[in-house]
């Protein structure tokens, strides 16, 4: 049947086996807005909801990961060839333990968007992301996409777009798409706004 604002579902696995994992904790989805009939070929439609991870733990053997935080998910479609999905969170934390080593990863003020639009060469996939990832291993990294990455038709890699990653001391790495086969990686090592070195590489080397 149709879904409505306020609809929700909550899953509370208790030592539940799923795909080789053992799950515990809680995961819920609550819809805040619904327009049209989401998921159907009747346009336009849109839906927004909040995914809440409440100490959701996945365990395989002695290794485990625990996730906590809220994510807002929005999906919309104006036509079969014009659709968009976005995900955002003010804070989302994952604590992992592998072979006895514990690591922490936290996303802060993070958002990402993926769009599909018609273009002269076929469908275009347009993606962007911004926010901060803090890890116990590498510290904080801030990611921005001043220009969204665009991949057209059967291209394996984006033909345009730019991302900037800022690390400790304001140092920056800038990734600029030159074409669907080539990308330029530039380094501002001391964070003074000047990129001292730039290297052109095939996209395949960044995989």
């Amino acid at each position: 049947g149709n879904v409505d604002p306020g609809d929700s579902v909550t899953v509370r696995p208790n030592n539940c086996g799923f795909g080789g994992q053992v799950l515990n904790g809680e995961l819920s989805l609550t819809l805040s807005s619904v327009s049209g009939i989401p998921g159907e070929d009747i346009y336009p439609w849109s839906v927004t909801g909040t995914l809440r991870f409440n100490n959701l733990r996945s365990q395989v053997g002695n290794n485990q990961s625990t996730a906590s935080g809220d994510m807002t998910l929005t999906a919309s479609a104006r036509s079969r060839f014009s659709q968009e999905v976005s995900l955002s969170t003010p804070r989302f934390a994952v604590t992992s333990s592998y072979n006895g080593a514990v690591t922490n990863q936290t996303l802060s003020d993070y958002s990402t968007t993926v769009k599909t639009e018609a273009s002269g060469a076929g469908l275009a996939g347009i993606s962007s992301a911004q926010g901060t990832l803090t890890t116990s291993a590498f510290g904080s990294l801030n990611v921005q996409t001043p220009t969204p990455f665009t991949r057209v038709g059967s291209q394996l890699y984006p033909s345009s777009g730019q991302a900037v990653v800022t690390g400790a001391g304001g140092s920056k790495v800038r990734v600029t798409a030159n074409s669907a086969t080539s990308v330029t990686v530039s380094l501002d090592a001391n964070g003074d706004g000047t990129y001292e070195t730039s290297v052109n590489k095939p996209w395949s080397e960044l995989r």
Side-chain angles (χ1 to χ4, degrees), residues 80-205:
R80 180 177 297 180
F81 307 111
S82 179
Q83 303 191 15
E84 179 176 331
V85 176
S86 64
L87 184 70
S88 64
T89 179
R91 185 180 186 278
F92 188 82
V94 177
T95 299
S96 302
S97 175
Y98 294 99
N99 296 322
V102 178
T103 59
N104 298 291
Q105 302 89 31
T106 303
L107 283 174
S108 303
D109 298 323
Y110 177 82
S111 64
T112 183
T113 300
V114 177
K115 300 179 183 178
T116 301
E117 296 181 353
S119 73
L123 289 178
I126 305 167
S127 59
S128 62
Q130 45 275 322
T132 300
L133 170 65
T134 302
T135 73
S136 53
F138 303 108
S140 292
L141 297 173
N142 180 267
V143 179
Q144 300 291 326
T145 43
T147 306
F149 286 100
T150 299
R151 185 171 56 85
V152 180
S154 60
Q155 293 175 348
L156 294 178
Y157 303 101
S159 54
S160 63
Q162 186 180 88
V164 178
V165 180
T166 304
S171 59
K172 292 181 173 65
V173 173
R174 183 176 64 193
V175 178
T176 304
N178 303 317
S179 67
T181 58
S182 171
V183 60
T184 297
V185 180
S186 305
L187 173 65
D188 173 10
N190 57 10
D192 65 355
T194 299
Y195 289 89
E196 299 90 1
T197 59
S198 291
V199 179
N200 292 330
K201 291 178 171 289
W203 268 113
S204 57
E205 290 190 8

